[in-house]
């Protein structure tokens, strides 16, 4: 299937159903039911689920453009996480619950994005995955204005459907999903920032004609392209969560997130931090996703330890081997 055949209808769906006004309403405490019903009816939520479970059975690499589109439109629901959870549940022969599902690991104490809009969580406890209801666990707000993320205190003995994790690494999978979301949101911010630079006139000419602004936009564009490439590498690692692919994707995306957000606000000037402007819908998410499922330092350390463990291999061969392995798994 051509990627545009998959992406174009998804973009039209989100453009109609997930406008900035809808995003603001849900972040303000409104019901996400209408948006979720639209996504459920579209069938995209089952794109990764195996055909035996009623899905389409696409690879994570094939749906990467859809995952980036979720960041582009600042979707205030855990859509990508639900798609992955349905795939893992379907592989295990378990019927998925209705409603949004988030992914989490027992060891993580970081805030889980979109947890406030989810009904269930798929949690990794060592070698087991547990599908549990979020109503049964205590959640704590992050303190960030209009954030839908929450810090969850997981019980030592979880309640819910338990099944073997096998070779699934939920933290790595979550990191890849954050990287794709960052790539989508960063791309949207770049377009918004360029448009503002061409429209905002100061001293008789658009600020985009000033060399200092052009240099900032060039740096921003470099990060956007690099993040998209890194996210694609992460998705090519597959649905079980390839740690090296995830580390490559999340280290790059998390490092770029702060720079992209900073430049977007700098070019927009004081208006950039106003609630009325859509810029903040994306920059808040960039900073939230940067830390979720491990920041750039965490994943850089994972990459570094893996490199040191391959002492007999040159750095170039290490990169080639990991990239070749990732591509063959796609």
């Amino acid at each position: 299937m051509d990627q545009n055949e998959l992406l174009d209808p998804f973009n039209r769906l989100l453009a109609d159903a997930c406008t900035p006004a809808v995003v603001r309403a849900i972040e303000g405490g409104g019901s996400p039911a209408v948006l979720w019903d639209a996504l459920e009816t579209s069938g995209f939520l089952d794109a990764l689920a195996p055909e035996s479970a009623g899905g389409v059975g696409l690879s994570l690499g094939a749906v990467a453009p859809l995952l980036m589109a979720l960041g582009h439109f600042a979707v205030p629901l855990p859509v990508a996480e639900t798609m992955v959870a349905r795939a893992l549940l379907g592989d295990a022969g378990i019927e998925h619950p209705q409603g949004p599902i988030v992914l989490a690991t027992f060891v993580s104490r970081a805030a889980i994005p979109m947890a406030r809009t989810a009904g269930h969580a798929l949690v990794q406890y060592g070698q087991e995955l547990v599908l549990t209801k979020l109503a049964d666990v205590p959640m704590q707000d992050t303190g960030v204005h209009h954030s839908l993320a929450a810090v969850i205190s997981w019980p030592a003995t979880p309640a819910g459907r338990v099944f073997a994790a096998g070779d699934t690494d939920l933290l790595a999978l979550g990191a890849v999903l954050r990287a794709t979301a960052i790539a989508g949101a960063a791309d949207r911010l770049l377009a918004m920032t360029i448009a503002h630079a061409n429209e905002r006139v100061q001293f008789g000419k658009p600020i985009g004609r000033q060399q200092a602004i052009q240099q900032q936009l060039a740096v921003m564009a470099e990060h956007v392209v690099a993040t998209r490439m890194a996210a694609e590498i992460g998705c090519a690692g597959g649905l079980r969560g390839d740690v090296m692919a995830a580390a490559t994707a999340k280290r790059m995306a998390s490092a770029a997130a702060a720079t992209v957000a900073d430049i977007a606000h700098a070019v927009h000037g004081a208006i950039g931090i106003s609630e009325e402007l859509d810029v903040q819908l994306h920059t808040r998410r960039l900073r939230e996703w940067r830390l979720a499922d491990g920041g750039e330092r965490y994943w850089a350390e994972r990459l570094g330890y893996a490199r040191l463990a391959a002492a007999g291999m040159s750095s170039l061969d290490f990169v080639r081997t990991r990239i070749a392995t990732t591509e063959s798994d796609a």
Side-chain angles (χ1 to χ4, degrees), residues 10-91:
F10 193 62
N11 276 336
R12 288 196 295 271
L13 167 68
L14 294 180
D16 291 339
C18 190
T19 63
V22 171
V23 174
R24 285 184 170 84
I26 294 174
E27 287 187 343
S31 172
V34 173
L35 176 57
W36 185 256
D37 288 346
L39 290 162
E40 183 73 80
T41 304
S42 72
F44 283 107
L45 295 176
D46 295 312
L48 294 171
E51 293 183 14
S52 59
V56 184
L58 296 176
S59 68
L60 195 61
V63 304
L66 306 187
L67 306 183
M68 294 181 197
L70 296 169
H72 181 96
F73 286 95
V75 177
L77 290 165
V79 176
E81 296 91 324
T82 302
M83 293 168 69
V84 168
R86 288 189 177 189
L88 297 177
L89 291 168
D91 283 340

Coordinates of all heavy atoms in Angstrom, one line a residue, residues 10-91:
F10 N -6.1 9.7 6.9 CA -5.9 9.9 8.4 C -5.7 11.4 8.7 O -6.2 11.9 9.6 CB -4.6 9.1 8.8 CG -4.5 9.0 10.3 CD1 -5.4 8.4 11.1 CD2 -3.3 9.6 10.9 CE1 -5.3 8.3 12.4 CE2 -3.2 9.5 12.3 CZ -4.1 8.8 13.1
N11 N -4.9 12.1 7.8 CA -4.8 13.5 8.0 C -6.1 14.3 7.8 O -6.4 15.2 8.6 CB -3.8 14.1 6.9 CG -2.3 13.9 7.3 OD1 -2.0 13.9 8.5 ND2 -1.4 13.9 6.4
R12 N -6.9 13.8 6.9 CA -8.3 14.5 6.7 C -9.1 14.3 8.0 O -9.8 15.2 8.5 CB -9.0 14.0 5.5 CG -8.4 14.5 4.2 CD -9.3 14.2 3.0 NE -9.5 12.8 2.8 CZ -8.8 12.0 2.0 NH1 -7.8 12.6 1.3 NH2 -9.0 10.8 1.8
L13 N -9.1 13.1 8.5 CA -9.8 12.7 9.7 C -9.4 13.7 10.9 O -10.2 14.2 11.6 CB -9.6 11.3 10.1 CG -10.0 10.9 11.5 CD1 -11.5 10.9 11.6 CD2 -9.5 9.5 11.9
L14 N -8.1 13.8 11.1 CA -7.6 14.6 12.2 C -7.8 16.1 12.0 O -8.1 16.8 12.9 CB -6.1 14.3 12.4 CG -5.7 12.9 12.9 CD1 -4.2 12.8 13.1 CD2 -6.4 12.5 14.2
A15 N -7.7 16.5 10.7 CA -8.0 17.9 10.4 C -9.4 18.3 10.8 O -9.7 19.4 11.2 CB -7.7 18.2 9.0
D16 N -10.4 17.4 10.5 CA -11.8 17.6 10.8 C -12.1 17.4 12.3 O -12.9 18.2 12.8 CB -12.6 16.7 9.9 CG -12.6 17.0 8.5 OD1 -12.2 18.2 8.1 OD2 -12.9 16.2 7.7
A17 N -11.6 16.4 12.9 CA -12.1 16.0 14.2 C -11.2 16.5 15.3 O -11.6 16.5 16.5 CB -12.1 14.4 14.3
C18 N -10.0 16.9 15.0 CA -9.0 17.3 16.1 C -8.5 18.7 15.8 O -7.3 18.8 15.7 CB -7.9 16.2 16.2 SG -6.9 16.5 17.7
T19 N -9.4 19.6 15.8 CA -9.0 21.0 15.6 C -8.4 21.5 16.9 O -8.6 20.9 18.0 CB -10.2 21.8 15.3 OG1 -11.1 21.8 16.4 CG2 -10.9 21.3 14.0
P20 N -7.6 22.6 16.8 CA -7.1 23.2 18.1 C -8.2 23.5 19.1 O -7.9 23.4 20.3 CB -6.5 24.5 17.6 CG -6.0 24.2 16.2 CD -7.1 23.3 15.6
A21 N -9.4 23.9 18.7 CA -10.5 24.1 19.6 C -10.9 22.8 20.4 O -11.1 22.8 21.6 CB -11.7 24.7 18.9
V22 N -10.9 21.7 19.6 CA -11.2 20.4 20.3 C -10.1 20.0 21.3 O -10.3 19.6 22.4 CB -11.3 19.3 19.2 CG1 -11.4 17.9 19.8 CG2 -12.6 19.6 18.4
V23 N -8.8 20.3 20.9 CA -7.7 20.0 21.8 C -7.8 20.8 23.0 O -7.7 20.3 24.2 CB -6.4 20.3 21.0 CG1 -5.2 20.1 22.0 CG2 -6.2 19.4 19.8
R24 N -8.1 22.1 22.9 CA -8.2 22.9 24.1 C -9.4 22.5 25.0 O -9.3 22.5 26.2 CB -8.4 24.4 23.7 CG -7.1 25.0 23.1 CD -7.4 26.5 22.8 NE -6.2 27.3 22.5 CZ -5.6 27.3 21.4 NH1 -6.1 26.7 20.3 NH2 -4.5 28.0 21.2
A25 N -10.5 22.1 24.4 CA -11.6 21.7 25.1 C -11.3 20.4 26.0 O -11.7 20.3 27.2 CB -12.8 21.4 24.2
I26 N -10.7 19.5 25.4 CA -10.3 18.2 26.1 C -9.3 18.5 27.2 O -9.4 18.0 28.3 CB -9.8 17.2 25.1 CG1 -10.9 16.7 24.2 CG2 -9.3 15.9 25.9 CD1 -10.5 15.8 23.1
E27 N -8.3 19.4 26.9 CA -7.3 19.7 27.9 C -8.0 20.5 29.0 O -7.5 20.5 30.2 CB -6.2 20.6 27.3 CG -5.3 19.8 26.4 CD -4.1 20.6 25.9 OE1 -4.1 21.9 26.0 OE2 -3.1 20.0 25.5
G28 N -9.1 21.2 28.7 CA -9.8 21.9 29.8 C -10.7 21.1 30.6 O -11.5 21.7 31.4
G29 N -10.8 19.8 30.3 CA -11.7 18.9 31.1 C -12.9 18.4 30.4 O -13.7 17.7 30.9
G30 N -13.0 18.8 29.1 CA -14.1 18.3 28.3 C -14.0 16.8 27.9 O -12.9 16.2 28.0
S31 N -15.1 16.2 27.5 CA -15.1 14.8 27.2 C -14.4 14.6 25.8 O -14.6 15.2 24.8 CB -16.5 14.3 27.1 OG -16.5 13.0 26.6
P32 N -13.5 13.5 25.8 CA -12.9 13.2 24.5 C -13.7 12.2 23.7 O -13.2 11.6 22.7 CB -11.6 12.5 25.0 CG -11.9 11.9 26.3 CD -13.0 12.7 26.9
A33 N -14.9 11.9 24.1 CA -15.7 10.8 23.5 C -16.0 11.0 22.0 O -15.8 10.0 21.2 CB -17.1 10.7 24.2
V34 N -16.3 12.2 21.6 CA -16.6 12.4 20.1 C -15.3 12.1 19.3 O -15.4 11.5 18.3 CB -17.1 13.9 19.9 CG1 -17.2 14.1 18.4 CG2 -18.4 14.1 20.6
L35 N -14.2 12.7 19.7 CA -12.9 12.5 19.0 C -12.6 11.0 19.0 O -12.2 10.4 18.0 CB -11.8 13.3 19.6 CG -10.4 13.1 19.1 CD1 -10.4 13.4 17.6 CD2 -9.4 14.0 19.8
W36 N -12.7 10.3 20.2 CA -12.3 8.9 20.2 C -13.3 8.1 19.4 O -12.8 7.1 18.7 CB -12.4 8.4 21.7 CG -11.9 7.0 21.8 CD1 -12.7 5.9 22.0 CD2 -10.6 6.6 21.7 NE1 -11.9 4.8 22.0 CE2 -10.6 5.1 21.8 CE3 -9.3 7.2 21.5 CZ2 -9.4 4.4 21.8 CZ3 -8.2 6.4 21.4 CH2 -8.2 5.1 21.6
D37 N -14.5 8.4 19.4 CA -15.5 7.6 18.5 C -15.1 7.8 17.0 O -15.2 6.8 16.3 CB -16.9 8.1 18.7 CG -17.5 7.7 20.1 OD1 -16.8 6.8 20.7 OD2 -18.5 8.3 20.5
A38 N -14.7 9.0 16.6 CA -14.3 9.2 15.2 C -13.1 8.3 14.9 O -13.0 7.7 13.8 CB -14.0 10.6 15.0
L39 N -12.1 8.2 15.8 CA -10.9 7.4 15.6 C -11.3 5.9 15.6 O -10.8 5.2 14.7 CB -9.9 7.7 16.7 CG -9.2 9.1 16.6 CD1 -8.6 9.4 17.9 CD2 -8.2 9.1 15.5
E40 N -12.1 5.5 16.5 CA -12.6 4.1 16.6 C -13.3 3.7 15.3 O -13.0 2.6 14.7 CB -13.5 3.9 17.8 CG -13.9 2.5 18.0 CD -12.8 1.6 18.5 OE1 -12.5 1.7 19.7 OE2 -12.2 0.9 17.7
T41 N -14.2 4.5 14.8 CA -15.0 4.2 13.6 C -14.1 4.2 12.4 O -14.4 3.4 11.5 CB -16.1 5.3 13.4 OG1 -16.9 5.4 14.6 CG2 -16.9 5.0 12.2
S42 N -13.0 4.9 12.4 CA -12.1 5.0 11.2 C -11.4 3.7 10.9 O -11.0 3.4 9.8 CB -11.1 6.1 11.3 OG -10.1 5.8 12.3
G43 N -11.2 2.9 12.0 CA -10.5 1.6 11.9 C -9.0 1.7 12.0 O -8.3 0.7 12.1
F44 N -8.5 3.0 12.1 CA -7.0 3.1 12.2 C -6.4 2.6 13.5 O -5.3 2.2 13.6 CB -6.6 4.6 12.1 CG -6.7 5.1 10.7 CD1 -7.7 6.0 10.3 CD2 -5.7 4.7 9.8 CE1 -7.7 6.4 9.0 CE2 -5.7 5.2 8.5 CZ -6.8 6.0 8.0
L45 N -7.3 2.5 14.6 CA -6.8 2.0 15.8 C -6.3 0.5 15.8 O -5.6 0.0 16.6 CB -7.8 2.2 16.9 CG -8.2 3.6 17.3 CD1 -9.3 3.6 18.3 CD2 -7.0 4.4 17.8
D46 N -6.8 -0.2 14.8 CA -6.5 -1.6 14.6 C -5.5 -1.8 13.5 O -5.3 -3.0 13.0 CB -7.8 -2.4 14.3 CG -8.7 -2.4 15.5 OD1 -8.2 -2.6 16.7 OD2 -9.9 -2.1 15.3
A47 N -4.8 -0.8 13.1 CA -3.9 -0.9 11.9 C -2.7 -1.9 12.3 O -2.2 -2.6 11.4 CB -3.3 0.4 11.6
L48 N -2.3 -1.9 13.5 CA -1.2 -2.8 13.9 C -1.6 -4.2 14.4 O -0.8 -5.1 14.5 CB -0.3 -2.1 15.0 CG 0.4 -0.8 14.6 CD1 1.0 -0.2 15.9 CD2 1.5 -1.1 13.6
A49 N -2.9 -4.3 14.8 CA -3.4 -5.6 15.3 C -3.3 -6.7 14.3 O -3.5 -6.4 13.1 CB -4.8 -5.4 15.9
P50 N -3.1 -7.9 14.7 CA -3.0 -9.0 13.7 C -4.4 -9.2 13.1 O -5.4 -8.9 13.7 CB -2.6 -10.2 14.5 CG -2.9 -9.8 15.9 CD -2.8 -8.4 16.1
E51 N -4.4 -9.8 11.9 CA -5.7 -10.0 11.2 C -6.5 -11.0 12.0 O -7.8 -10.9 12.0 CB -5.4 -10.6 9.8 CG -4.7 -9.6 8.9 CD -4.5 -10.2 7.5 OE1 -5.1 -11.2 7.2 OE2 -3.8 -9.5 6.7
S52 N -5.9 -11.9 12.7 CA -6.7 -12.9 13.6 C -7.5 -12.2 14.7 O -8.4 -12.7 15.2 CB -5.7 -13.9 14.2 OG -4.7 -13.2 15.0
A53 N -7.0 -11.0 15.0 CA -7.8 -10.2 16.0 C -8.6 -9.1 15.4 O -9.1 -8.2 16.1 CB -6.8 -9.6 17.0
G54 N -8.8 -9.2 14.1 CA -9.7 -8.2 13.4 C -8.9 -7.0 12.9 O -9.5 -6.0 12.5
G55 N -7.6 -7.0 13.0 CA -6.8 -5.9 12.6 C -6.3 -6.0 11.2 O -6.7 -6.9 10.4
V56 N -5.3 -5.1 10.8 CA -4.8 -5.1 9.5 C -3.4 -5.7 9.4 O -3.0 -6.2 8.4 CB -4.7 -3.6 9.0 CG1 -4.2 -3.5 7.5 CG2 -6.1 -2.9 9.1
G57 N -2.7 -5.7 10.6 CA -1.4 -6.4 10.6 C -0.3 -5.6 10.0 O 0.7 -6.2 9.6
L58 N -0.4 -4.3 10.0 CA 0.7 -3.5 9.4 C 1.9 -3.5 10.4 O 1.8 -3.7 11.6 CB 0.3 -2.1 9.1 CG -0.8 -1.9 8.0 CD1 -1.3 -0.5 7.9 CD2 -0.4 -2.4 6.7
S59 N 3.1 -3.2 9.8 CA 4.3 -3.1 10.7 C 4.3 -1.7 11.3 O 3.7 -0.7 10.8 CB 5.6 -3.3 9.8 OG 5.7 -2.2 8.9
L60 N 5.2 -1.5 12.3 CA 5.3 -0.2 13.0 C 5.9 0.8 12.0 O 5.6 1.9 12.0 CB 6.2 -0.4 14.2 CG 6.2 0.8 15.2 CD1 4.8 1.0 15.8 CD2 7.1 0.6 16.3
G61 N 6.8 0.3 11.2 CA 7.5 1.2 10.2 C 6.4 1.7 9.2 O 6.5 2.8 8.7
A62 N 5.5 0.8 8.8 CA 4.5 1.2 7.8 C 3.5 2.3 8.3 O 3.1 3.2 7.6 CB 3.6 0.0 7.4
V63 N 3.3 2.3 9.6 CA 2.4 3.3 10.2 C 3.1 4.5 10.8 O 2.5 5.4 11.4 CB 1.5 2.7 11.3 CG1 0.7 1.5 10.7 CG2 2.2 2.3 12.5
A64 N 4.4 4.6 10.6 CA 5.2 5.7 11.2 C 4.6 7.1 10.8 O 4.5 8.0 11.6 CB 6.7 5.6 10.8
P65 N 4.2 7.3 9.5 CA 3.7 8.6 9.1 C 2.4 8.9 9.9 O 2.1 10.1 10.2 CB 3.4 8.4 7.6 CG 4.3 7.4 7.2 CD 4.4 6.4 8.3
L66 N 1.6 7.9 10.3 CA 0.4 8.1 11.1 C 0.8 8.6 12.5 O 0.1 9.5 13.0 CB -0.5 6.9 11.1 CG -0.9 6.2 9.8 CD1 -1.9 5.1 10.1 CD2 -1.5 7.2 8.9
L67 N 1.8 7.9 13.0 CA 2.2 8.3 14.4 C 2.7 9.7 14.4 O 2.5 10.4 15.4 CB 3.3 7.3 14.9 CG 2.9 5.8 14.8 CD1 4.0 4.9 15.4 CD2 1.6 5.5 15.5
M68 N 3.4 10.1 13.4 CA 3.9 11.5 13.3 C 2.7 12.5 13.1 O 2.8 13.6 13.7 CB 4.9 11.7 12.2 CG 6.2 10.9 12.4 SD 7.4 11.1 11.0 CE 8.5 9.7 11.3
A69 N 1.7 12.1 12.4 CA 0.5 12.9 12.2 C -0.1 13.2 13.6 O -0.7 14.3 13.8 CB -0.4 12.3 11.3
L70 N -0.1 12.3 14.5 CA -0.7 12.5 15.8 C 0.0 13.6 16.5 O -0.6 14.4 17.2 CB -0.6 11.2 16.6 CG -1.4 10.0 16.1 CD1 -1.0 8.7 16.8 CD2 -2.9 10.2 16.2
G71 N 1.3 13.7 16.4 CA 2.0 14.8 17.0 C 1.8 16.1 16.2 O 1.7 17.2 16.8
H72 N 1.6 16.0 14.9 CA 1.4 17.2 14.1 C 0.1 17.9 14.5 O 0.0 19.1 14.6 CB 1.3 16.8 12.6 CG 1.1 17.9 11.7 ND1 2.1 18.5 11.0 CD2 -0.1 18.5 11.3 CE1 1.6 19.5 10.2 NE2 0.3 19.5 10.4
F73 N -0.9 17.1 14.8 CA -2.2 17.7 15.2 C -2.4 17.8 16.7 O -3.5 18.1 17.2 CB -3.4 16.8 14.6 CG -3.5 17.0 13.1 CD1 -2.9 16.1 12.2 CD2 -4.3 18.0 12.6 CE1 -3.0 16.3 10.9 CE2 -4.4 18.2 11.2 CZ -3.8 17.3 10.3
A74 N -1.4 17.5 17.5 CA -1.4 17.6 19.0 C -2.6 16.8 19.5 O -3.3 17.3 20.4 CB -1.5 19.1 19.4
V75 N -2.8 15.6 19.0 CA -4.0 14.8 19.5 C -3.9 14.5 21.0 O -2.9 14.0 21.5 CB -4.0 13.5 18.7 CG1 -5.2 12.6 19.2 CG2 -4.2 13.7 17.2
P76 N -4.9 14.9 21.7 CA -4.9 14.8 23.2 C -5.4 13.4 23.7 O -6.0 13.3 24.8 CB -5.8 15.9 23.6 CG -6.9 15.9 22.6 CD -6.2 15.6 21.3
L77 N -5.0 12.4 23.0 CA -5.4 11.0 23.4 C -4.3 10.1 23.1 O -3.5 10.3 22.1 CB -6.7 10.6 22.6 CG -8.0 11.3 22.9 CD1 -9.1 11.0 21.9 CD2 -8.5 10.8 24.3
P78 N -4.2 9.0 23.8 CA -3.1 8.0 23.6 C -3.4 7.1 22.4 O -3.6 5.8 22.6 CB -3.0 7.3 24.9 CG -4.4 7.3 25.4 CD -5.0 8.6 25.0
V79 N -3.5 7.6 21.2 CA -3.8 6.8 20.0 C -2.8 5.8 19.7 O -3.0 4.7 19.4 CB -4.2 7.8 18.9 CG1 -4.5 7.0 17.6 CG2 -5.3 8.7 19.2
A80 N -1.5 6.3 19.6 CA -0.4 5.4 19.2 C -0.3 4.3 20.2 O 0.0 3.1 19.8 CB 0.9 6.2 19.1
E81 N -0.4 4.6 21.5 CA -0.2 3.7 22.5 C -1.3 2.6 22.4 O -1.1 1.4 22.6 CB -0.3 4.3 23.9 CG 0.9 5.3 24.2 CD 0.5 6.7 23.7 OE1 -0.2 6.9 22.7 OE2 1.0 7.7 24.4
T82 N -2.5 3.0 22.1 CA -3.7 2.1 22.0 C -3.4 1.2 20.8 O -3.7 0.0 20.9 CB -5.0 2.9 21.8 OG1 -5.2 3.7 23.0 CG2 -6.2 1.9 21.7
M83 N -2.9 1.7 19.7 CA -2.6 0.9 18.5 C -1.6 -0.2 18.9 O -1.8 -1.4 18.5 CB -2.1 1.8 17.4 CG -3.1 2.8 16.8 SD -2.4 4.0 15.7 CE -1.9 3.0 14.3
V84 N -0.6 0.2 19.6 CA 0.4 -0.8 20.0 C -0.1 -1.8 21.0 O 0.1 -3.0 20.9 CB 1.7 -0.1 20.6 CG1 2.6 -1.1 21.2 CG2 2.4 0.7 19.5
A85 N -0.9 -1.3 21.9 CA -1.5 -2.2 22.9 C -2.4 -3.3 22.3 O -2.4 -4.4 22.6 CB -2.2 -1.4 24.0
R86 N -3.2 -2.8 21.3 CA -4.1 -3.7 20.7 C -3.4 -4.8 19.9 O -3.8 -5.9 19.8 CB -5.1 -2.9 19.7 CG -6.1 -2.1 20.5 CD -7.2 -1.5 19.5 NE -8.2 -0.8 20.3 CZ -9.3 -0.3 19.7 NH1 -9.5 -0.5 18.4 NH2 -10.2 0.3 20.4
A87 N -2.2 -4.4 19.3 CA -1.4 -5.4 18.6 C -0.8 -6.4 19.5 O -0.9 -7.6 19.2 CB -0.3 -4.6 17.8
L88 N -0.3 -6.0 20.7 CA 0.3 -6.9 21.6 C -0.8 -7.8 22.2 O -0.6 -9.0 22.4 CB 1.0 -6.2 22.7 CG 2.2 -5.3 22.2 CD1 2.8 -4.5 23.4 CD2 3.3 -6.2 21.6
L89 N -1.9 -7.3 22.5 CA -3.0 -8.1 23.1 C -3.5 -9.0 22.1 O -3.8 -10.2 22.4 CB -4.2 -7.1 23.6 CG -3.9 -6.3 24.8 CD1 -4.9 -5.2 25.0 CD2 -3.8 -7.1 26.1
G90 N -3.6 -8.6 20.8 CA -4.1 -9.5 19.8 C -3.2 -10.6 19.5 O -3.6 -11.8 19.3
D91 N -1.9 -10.4 19.6 CA -0.9 -11.4 19.4 C -1.0 -12.5 20.6 O -0.7 -13.7 20.4 CB 0.6 -10.9 19.4 CG 0.9 -10.2 18.1 OD1 0.2 -10.5 17.1 OD2 1.8 -9.4 18.1

